[in-house]
Amino acid sequence: MYPPSRKDFISLTLSDPHSHSYNNGKHRRQSCWRKWKQLSRLQRSLILFLLALLLIFGLLSYPSLTEQWRGLSDRDDWLELNDRELKAVLPGVKPVLGQEDAGKALAPVEGPHVGPDAGPVVVPDPVLEPKAPNVPMLPKPPIKKKPFPNKRGPPSLQKDGNMSDTVGEEKKEQEVVQDEGEEEEKEKKIVSWRGAMIEADQATEPPPSANEKEAAAPPAPANPADPVPLEVSTGIVDRLEAVREAFRHAWKGYKSYSWGHDELKPISKSFGEWFGLGLTLIDSLDTMWILGLKEEFAEAKTWVENDLNFDKNVDVNLFETTIRVLGGLLSTYHLTGDQLFFEKAKDLGSRLMPAFKTPSKIPFSDVNIGKGTAHPPRWTSDSTLAEVTSIQLEFRDLSRLTQDPQYQEVANEVMRLVHKLPGKHDGLVPMFINTNSGQFTHKGVYTLGARADSYYEYLLKQWIQGGKTEEDLLEDYLQAIEGVKKHLVRQTGPNKLTFVGELNHNRFNPKMDHLVCFLPGTLALGVHNGLPGDHMDLAVQLMETCHQMYKQMETGLSPEIAHFSLQPSDGRDVIVKPADRHNLLRPETVESLFYMYRFTKETKYRDWGWDILQSFNKYTKVPDGGYTSINNVRDPTNPGPRDKMESFFLGETLKYMYLLFSDDMDELSLDKYIFNTEAHPLPIWPSPPK
């Protein structure tokens, strides 16, 4: 008889409960039980006690054992360091300095890119603690985790770019936010107004086409084996040079991939066209002059002379064109004395005048500079209040230069109408005004963010520009600040941060746009010009809050919109919804830091600005040139490039950064110049004799 096969054996075992293996196990269990019963009660008790003791010791030692095995394998935990500090030494990378090494130099941080970069050399300040490792994406460290208490360009570039950004679908964040405006949780197609994200049905730009919605793929992580850039010494001079290097790097991308066009798309190495007026180039003219970048300025001037032409059939936004192009040309003329820029400004100003031909004298939002026609947006007859009340500095200056009063008259008429209008709430104004009736619309909503912000800024600045003689402007400004303090200023529950929220039909919403961070600087400027001292107290408090909007984010960069916690039990002050996590390289916080340092000389404001510049270099710098907006300031491993460099990054952000670090207080003295809302300096008129 043949021995049973494996198949037969398995079959037998499964079918017969009294098989050999089954009975052996049963006999073993019975034998163990008999032996246990044969032990005395004392012996059994002692064994049970020892087993319980071993179990307790095992449970107590479990966390430390697992910690040793885990190390830093969870990259998410590793990245959530307190204040983004890390003292790990990575292979092939110079160590990050601790506080005890503050006097030594630190290798500059890199942007979201692969390989070495010829971009700006970033220099640390000796009094600052280093913020993070100096590579953007790091491997799992092999150490134990510590507890954390010419022409317009080559033919290949002659194509249309995108006019605005879009935001895709994202999962809602599982956070409880005290937000009365729940409709903001829903993502909509949005367009750019001064770079601000606003709903398509209220914007002055048409929605983007399908081709313009293509998102850029995120760049590959940096290789830790790549060579580390040379270190340089610390100090104020190095900070100024770091800003120059940042500008050169941004200009390199613009010159290479979008020369003569409106905006650089640095990831796709192409361009976006908004009005076709070389926005970035003109916005940057006075910045190059102030930074002493003579070569870059000369090539930009050549383009203005040979290629800038306003005789074209194109609709432009009155506000954006005024503050960026007209303001840029006027300020460059004042700084250089070059007649070329004055002639270009005069030509553009005359072409913008049809916007004021409305029944109410409130200007249309859009004007065709070639045809001489103007119209409101296709979806509404309203203009944004900030748009029609933030063109005055430029038009008034143009009248003063040309000796033609028409520009100042139409701009001043708008302010006179708004001054007399009913519908204000203790000096606060609604966000929209109708070009036919001249009345406020969408009443009951008050904000210092998008669509209203620069109205308040220009009240003060027009008063200063005109030699402090126009009492209506001063009255409206002082009333508005009192209204802000009465209705919009609150403090967070956890750490008592002061912020400016919004009022929606008498319901307070703890929501603050990054745009509102212009306010500390404006308040400080008012106090410098003799306004109440308690405005400076509010400015100091708000400046701290704007700083925390950067500091509390994992990338060190502020979100576009922040919500604030009013409950003392909540863990953090700043809460960011998924749709609001993008950063557009905005200037408002750096702008206020510049004013605060000029008036107080407190070095912490410079240090905060330096932190921001380093974060821009680390998370937004593109290796082949340019800087990009990002989608998620809460994700340092993949901030999500948006493939767009706004013109105001060169026109405002880097300019204010440079002036913040400059020791020359007479450079663009705030007693001689007033900055428009795009950071273009215009001269203050002398006060008339009394």
Side-chain angles (χ1 to χ4, degrees):
M1 183 176 179
Y2 291 101
S5 67
R6 178 182 297 178
K7 181 177 180 181
D8 295 331
F9 179 79
I10 293 173
S11 176
L12 177 64
T13 303
L14 293 175
S15 61
D16 185 4
H18 302 290
S19 65
H20 178 72
S21 59
Y22 177 88
N23 286 319
N24 275 350
K26 182 177 181 181
H27 293 156
R28 280 196 299 271
R29 289 194 296 273
Q30 290 175 350
S31 174
C32 290
W33 178 248
R34 282 198 301 269
K35 291 179 180 180
W36 173 258
K37 296 293 288 183
Q38 290 172 359
L39 296 174
S40 66
R41 181 177 297 177
L42 179 61
Q43 289 173 321
R44 291 200 297 267
S45 299
L46 184 60
I47 291 171
L48 290 174
F49 173 77
L50 291 174
L51 289 173
L53 197 62
L54 287 172
L55 179 61
I56 292 171
F57 276 115
L59 291 173
L60 290 175
S61 63
Y62 174 74
S64 62
L65 288 172
T66 56
E67 188 70 8
Q68 292 177 10
W69 282 102
R70 280 183 65 216
L72 287 175
S73 61
D74 186 348
R75 186 167 60 185
D76 289 335
D77 289 344
W78 179 70
L79 286 167
E80 291 179 1
L81 302 178
N82 185 24
D83 285 336
R84 302 178 306 282
E85 292 180 3
L86 188 68
K87 294 183 173 62
V89 180
L90 300 174
V93 179
K94 295 189 178 184
V96 176
L97 303 181
Q99 187 67 30
E100 67 278 5
D101 298 317
K104 301 178 183 178
L106 175 66
V109 293
E110 294 292 328
H113 59 269
V114 181
D117 180 35
V121 180
V122 180
V123 188
D125 189 278
V127 300
L128 297 178
E129 284 195 11
K131 284 296 178 185
N134 50 359
V135 287
M137 290 185 66
L138 301 174
K140 300 174 184 178
I143 58 173
K144 180 179 178 293
K145 183 170 74 172
K146 297 182 180 181
F148 306 127
N150 311 296
K151 295 293 183 182
R152 292 184 63 86
S156 61
L157 296 184
Q158 302 300 326
K159 59 184 179 180
D160 290 333
N162 67 326
M163 293 173 62
S164 56
D165 292 325
T166 60
V167 176
E169 295 283 338
E170 295 183 84
K171 294 181 180 179
K172 280 191 177 180
E173 188 178 26
Q174 299 301 313
E175 295 174 317
V176 178
V177 181
Q178 289 191 340
D179 183 5
E180 304 297 344
E182 292 297 332
E183 71 278 2
E184 292 169 10
E185 288 284 284
K186 301 175 182 178
E187 300 208 40
K188 303 177 181 180
K189 290 182 180 178
I190 49 184
V191 298
S192 174
W193 174 78
R194 180 155 160 68
M197 313 322 295
I198 54 179
E199 299 168 13
D201 60 349
Q202 296 174 333
T204 61
E205 287 278 323
S209 65
N211 292 335
E212 293 165 307
K213 297 180 181 179
E214 296 180 0
N223 186 352
D226 289 335
V228 179
L230 294 176
E231 298 179 357
V232 296
S233 62
T234 61
I236 295 300
V237 174
D238 293 325
R239 286 186 173 186
L240 293 177
E241 186 57 30
V243 178
R244 290 192 188 97
E245 287 300 319
F247 187 98
R248 289 189 188 104
H249 187 78
W251 187 253
K252 173 187 173 185
Y254 177 75
K255 183 179 176 182
S256 299
Y257 307 118
S258 58
W259 182 250
H261 296 284
D262 284 342
E263 293 167 331
L264 168 66
K265 299 173 72 175
I267 304 298
S268 58
K269 298 180 174 58
S270 61
F271 60 85
E273 206 75 289
W274 194 358
F275 308 135
L277 299 179
L279 276 185
T280 295
L281 188 149
I282 298 178
D283 225 356
S284 308
L285 285 169
D286 55 5
T287 305
M288 289 182 273
W289 184 265
I290 293 166
L291 270 60
L293 301 175
K294 297 180 181 179
E295 180 180 340
E296 292 82 355
F297 180 84
E299 60 191 2
K301 177 189 170 183
T302 300
W303 183 88
V304 171
E305 186 172 14
N306 298 332
D307 296 285
L308 180 59
N309 177 24
F310 299 124
D311 188 16
K312 53 174 62 180
N313 181 16
V314 59
D315 281 1
V316 303
N317 177 266
L318 172 67
F319 166 71
E320 298 286 359
T321 304
T322 298
I323 65 171
R324 301 194 199 207
V325 184
L326 182 59
L329 292 170
L330 288 171
S331 65
T332 305
Y333 169 68
H334 285 297
L335 293 175
T336 66
D338 193 320
Q339 198 73 12
L340 166 68
F341 302 107
F342 169 63
E343 294 298 333
K344 293 289 185 181
K346 186 168 61 173
D347 182 21
L348 177 60
S350 64
R351 293 174 182 275
L352 295 175
M353 288 297 286
F356 296 90
K357 295 178 180 178
T358 68
S360 66
K361 299 184 181 178
I362 298 297
F364 288 127
S365 62
D366 296 86
V367 57
N368 188 302
I369 57 175
K371 291 183 175 181
T373 58
H375 59 86
R378 290 191 298 272
W379 43 85
T380 180
S381 60
D382 291 343
S383 286
T384 300
L385 189 78
E387 290 183 343
V388 301
T389 58
S390 303
I391 54 179
Q392 279 68 25
L393 292 179
E394 301 82 359
F395 275 80
R396 285 154 53 111
D397 187 69
L398 185 59
S399 271
R400 190 170 180 84
L401 287 175
T402 61
Q403 298 298 304
D404 185 347
Q406 65 168 328
Y407 306 109
Q408 182 171 344
E409 286 174 355
V410 294
N412 284 353
E413 180 64 18
V414 176
M415 300 308 300
R416 284 193 288 268
L417 292 171
V418 173
H419 173 72
K420 296 183 294 185
L421 272 184
K424 296 179 186 175
H425 186 48
D426 291 330
L428 304 177
V429 293
M431 295 186 294
F432 297 97
I433 188 168
N434 189 272
T435 54
N436 293 318
S437 67
Q439 300 295 313
F440 292 132
T441 60
H442 300 80
K443 296 179 182 179
V445 180
Y446 304 98
T447 176
L448 262 70
R451 312 179 195 120
D453 52 346
S454 48
Y455 160 74
Y456 303 99
E457 175 189 359
Y458 267 38
L459 286 175
L460 175 68
K461 289 184 175 180
Q462 287 178 80
W463 177 69
I464 295 173
Q465 179 195 42
K468 305 178 185 177
T469 61
E470 297 153 291
E471 294 302 320
D472 285 353
L473 296 169
L474 178 60
E475 176 188 340
D476 287 347
Y477 176 75
L478 291 174
Q479 286 182 359
I481 298 305
E482 291 307 306
V484 169
K485 292 194 291 186
K486 180 178 179 180
H487 299 291
L488 303 184
V489 172
R490 296 285 191 281
Q491 285 190 330
T492 62
N495 293 300
K496 304 303 180 185
L497 292 180
T498 301
F499 68 96
V500 176
E502 298 182 350
L503 204 61
N504 191 335
H505 300 285
N506 294 319
R507 302 177 69 183
F508 182 76
N509 184 1
K511 165 184 174 289
M512 177 170 152
D513 294 357
H514 182 274
L515 288 166
V516 181
C517 286
F518 84 92
L519 187 57
T522 299
L523 290 169
L525 179 63
V527 174
H528 178 70
N529 283 276
L531 300 189
D534 64 336
H535 288 197
M536 181 59 86
D537 298 334
L538 180 58
V540 171
Q541 296 167 19
L542 291 174
M543 192 74 263
E544 173 65 32
T545 301
C546 291
H547 167 57
Q548 291 297 327
M549 287 168 64
Y550 284 79
K551 185 178 179 181
Q552 294 189 22
M553 298 301 110
E554 287 79 351
T555 60
L557 294 173
S558 171
E560 177 72 2
I561 298 171
H563 289 78
F564 292 89
S565 171
L566 299 176
Q567 301 302 320
S569 58
D570 290 345
R572 59 192 306 162
D573 300 276
V574 184
I575 301 170
V576 190
K577 297 182 179 181
D580 303 330
R581 292 179 172 182
H582 49 287
N583 180 285
L584 304 180
L585 311 172
R586 282 204 183 278
E588 286 77 22
T589 293
V590 181
E591 171 187 359
S592 285
L593 289 172
F594 158 65
Y595 283 106
M596 295 299 289
Y597 178 74
R598 277 280 177 104
F599 298 138
T600 69
K601 304 299 187 295
E602 290 193 34
T603 57
K604 68 178 182 181
Y605 298 126
R606 281 181 163 179
D607 298 338
W608 295 353
W610 181 244
D611 290 343
I612 294 172
L613 179 60
Q614 292 187 95
S615 293
F616 278 140
N617 278 324
K618 182 173 183 181
Y619 294 105
T620 72
K621 181 180 170 186
V622 180
D624 293 324
Y627 289 74
T628 182
S629 305
I630 59 174
N631 279 319
N632 193 349
V633 298
R634 300 294 308 274
D635 187 353
T637 60
N638 182 21
R642 295 169 72 92
D643 197 18
K644 186 176 184 180
M645 184 176 76
E646 299 278 358
S647 78
F648 52 64
F649 181 65
L650 297 180
E652 299 186 73
T653 308
L654 292 181
K655 182 188 298 169
Y656 281 130
M657 197 82 71
Y658 182 86
L659 294 172
L660 170 64
F661 298 147
S662 173
D663 282 333
D664 185 359
M665 298 296 106
D666 291 328
E667 183 172 19
L668 295 173
S669 166
L670 294 174
D671 294 320
K672 297 178 181 178
Y673 288 93
I674 198 77
F675 287 83
N676 85 337
T677 197
E678 190 74 8
H680 296 306
L682 302 172
I684 296 173
W685 307 343
S687 299
K690 295 182 179 179

